[in-house]
Amino acid sequence: MKSEQRLENIIKLLTKSGRASVEELSADLGVTPQTIRRDLGTLAEDNRVVRFHGGASLLAGIEYTGYEARQNIAEAQKTRIGDACAKLIPDNVAVMINSGTTTSAVARALVHHKGLRVVTDSVKISDEIKDFPGVDLMVPGGRVRPSDGSIVGHQAVEFISQFRPDFAIFGVAAISHDGALLDYDIAEVSVVRAMMKYARNTILCADSSKFQKMAPIRVADLDDINVLVTDTRCSEVLRQLCQNKKVRVVEA
């Protein structure tokens, strides 16, 4: 395999998983760890990846990866996270679900629930669950963000403030090493903060690739959530961080 092709394959693998170790990339591409380390060095010099001890991840940048591309990142993990989170939600409760590919998996997994009142700021999620027989669906007014169908703006925040739901289910772009929950769009962040403020219980759904990534805007901190639903590749560092902050971890 030529080096240029190998570099592009590394980028494709990182796009799917968000981050990967040298050993994982070496096994996937059938080359030595030393070769992978050199390739990662090249990609880092070109500002295409960021190195960490033993591997690399994609750079955060200032914009989120497109919605369709994000759907393919950690797709299997997101499905399991969605199923696990849905099991935490009883029938006959009020739920807020924010826009995102992982939260969409949660919403789809609510298909057999009964007596749910669901408020979502996502046109995509509302379209997916509008025919669920056990769901009374509500969406706020506001501006629809073309990139992913999120409903943002003052009207959306004002609408959400009228509710006191049992659960707020949300995702983030990144979880930093100190437990800060990060995202890209301040308008979307304002909606998520409102959901968290008024909900009795907050559930963060995030696959393990989100840990130690970066994004420019702070949403909240791990201290502000009750439950993290993630996958079985959750790092020991993140588990310990959650334990210190009294956050329950559910690994799907």
Side-chain angles (χ1 to χ4, degrees), residues 128-248:
E128 287 188 291
I129 70 173
K130 66 182 185 300
D131 296 322
F132 288 6
V135 169
D136 175 22
L137 177 64
M138 304 182 75
V139 295
R143 178 176 64 87
V144 177
R145 191 167 61 188
S147 61
D148 62 358
S150 298
I151 303 169
V152 296
H154 174 73
Q155 286 176 283
V157 173
E158 185 66 25
F159 181 82
I160 287 167
S161 71
Q162 299 178 69
F163 296 87
R164 297 297 184 272
D166 299 288
F167 298 91
I169 301 169
F170 69 102
V172 293
I175 305 172
S176 74
H177 68 279
D178 61 355
L181 310 179
L182 306 171
D183 221 301
Y184 288 90
D185 187 339
I186 189 64
E188 173 70 9
V189 166
S190 297
V191 173
V192 174
R193 286 175 180 166
M195 289 183 174
M196 295 178 67
K197 178 179 179 180
Y198 296 113
R200 295 182 178 88
N201 300 279
T202 52
I203 302 176
L204 170 62
C205 293
D207 67 84
S208 58
S209 72
K210 300 293 179 68
F211 184 53
Q212 293 188 328
K213 278 189 175 180
M214 290 301 296
I217 301 171
R218 176 186 166 277
V219 181
D221 291 293
L222 278 174
D223 309 73
D224 301 313
I225 68 170
N226 302 114
V227 181
L228 167 65
V229 184
T230 186
D231 57 69
T232 53
R233 295 179 67 183
C234 177
S235 73
E236 186 57 39
V237 176
L238 180 55
R239 288 193 195 96
Q240 188 60 52
L241 194 59
C242 288
Q243 182 177 335
N244 294 343
K245 294 177 180 292
K246 296 180 171 58
V247 176
R248 177 187 174 192

Side-chain angles (χ1 to χ4, degrees), residues 39-53:
D39 289 344
L40 292 179
T42 299
L43 291 170
E45 289 176 3
D46 292 340
N47 295 318
R48 300 181 70 185
V49 305
V50 59
R51 296 290 302 273
F52 59 82
H53 181 67

Side-chain angles (χ1 to χ4, degrees), residues 52-69:
F52 59 82
H53 181 67
S57 64
L58 294 180
L59 283 167
I62 60 171
E63 293 183 349
Y64 215 163
T65 305
Y67 188 90
E68 284 72 21

